[in-house]
Amino acid sequence: AGGGGASQWAPLSKSVSGTSVRKRNLAKEKAYHFRVTPLGVVPTEEESSPVAWAPSPPSRAAGTAGLADSIRMLLGGSSTPLRDPLGGTVSVDSLAGKVVGVYCSASWCPPCKQYTPRLAHYYKQMKEAGRPFEIVFVSADRDVASFEKYHGSMPWLALPFGQAGVGHTASQVREQALAKLGVQGIPMLTVYHPSGKRLHLNAVPVQLTLPNMDLWLAGTSADENPLPPTECM
């Protein structure tokens, strides 16, 4: 039912055989509640007609996932294509509903090359665990060839590198993202809740564990290692 005023219940499905039901064309500006009514209950020996069951209590309000403006604008807006590891592209809006890690790194930086495999292992673990998590690589490399080779070792998305003076829009988006994040040293992993709340400016000191991912999904920052990370300036 839409938020505000009296609830207007509409049937979503006549029957549910599993634990999920898909519903298309939900309005982004509305909140929805869901409930279940058992039907077709077989009467017991003491009953002559099926039992009349009341609907379950309404669920908490839920809505369609939309990408937070803070994340969208950091990455250049909805028109910016994100590059996948195979060279294809996806929309920035594909990050909606996910914990997003913006990973600033470069192939020339030894601490980055040590941290990237650990992060890649964690990324794959979270995918296997079914956690809504995505990483976007923002390169601090010095040329396109270095960027492409380095991104090829990563399983996640990246802002296009671009070249200054040649289709320079992509280069400007990447450089502006580095500036907006205030990058002073790398590796740097800035973590955002799906709502757009920034949980860590730099999560590199955070232990890469499933419980910490669940904290991020709940909108809570995780404890950081008291030892400062090794960085390239």
Side-chain angles (χ1 to χ4, degrees):
S7 295
Q8 299 176 356
W9 292 102
L12 176 64
S13 177
K14 293 183 179 179
S15 63
V16 179
S17 58
T19 59
S20 63
V21 175
R22 292 181 179 271
K23 178 62 177 176
R24 296 180 178 178
N25 301 321
L26 295 177
K28 290 185 178 181
E29 67 275 9
K30 289 187 177 181
Y32 293 86
H33 300 265
F34 300 90
R35 64 183 184 181
V36 177
T37 303
L39 298 174
V41 179
V42 178
T44 64
E45 294 180 358
E46 294 79 15
E47 298 166 334
S48 59
S49 60
V51 177
W53 290 82
S56 65
S59 68
R60 294 181 180 179
T64 56
L67 183 62
D69 287 340
S70 58
I71 301 174
R72 181 185 293 108
M73 298 314 296
L74 172 65
L75 301 176
S78 296
S79 62
T80 301
L82 297 178
R83 174 176 169 150
D84 66 30
L86 299 178
T89 60
V90 299
S91 168
V92 167
D93 289 320
S94 67
L95 302 174
K98 300 176 182 179
V99 168
V100 176
V102 180
Y103 182 44
C104 303
S105 183
S107 62
W108 50 263
C109 171
C112 295
K113 296 181 76 172
Q114 292 176 357
Y115 184 71
T116 296
R118 290 173 48 206
L119 185 59
H121 179 68
Y122 181 63
Y123 177 85
K124 293 174 182 177
Q125 283 183 319
M126 294 304 98
K127 291 292 186 180
E128 292 172 358
R131 298 302 192 268
F133 178 46
E134 191 53 72
I135 295 176
V136 179
F137 170 44
V138 180
S139 176
D141 272 304
R142 300 183 176 109
D143 55 74
V144 175
S146 298
F147 158 75
E148 291 181 346
K149 183 177 180 180
Y150 192 32
H151 186 221
S153 69
M154 303 172 180
W156 48 70
L157 304 172
L159 274 179
F161 189 86
Q163 295 183 24
V166 182
H168 62 280
T169 301
S171 178
Q172 288 178 339
V173 169
R174 179 180 57 81
E175 292 170 359
Q176 288 171 1
L178 292 170
K180 289 176 182 178
L181 291 168
V183 177
Q184 296 182 347
I186 53 176
M188 179 173 171
L189 178 68
T190 304
V191 177
Y192 293 89
H193 183 262
S195 66
K197 175 185 176 182
R198 193 177 72 189
L199 301 175
H200 294 276
L201 178 61
N202 190 3
V204 170
V206 174
Q207 291 187 348
L208 300 176
T209 64
L210 180 59
N212 280 344
M213 174 58 65
D214 288 338
L215 285 176
W216 292 344
L217 286 166
T220 303
S221 58
D223 291 336
E224 298 185 6
N225 190 317
L227 296 176
T230 302
E231 294 181 337
C232 295
M233 304 301 289

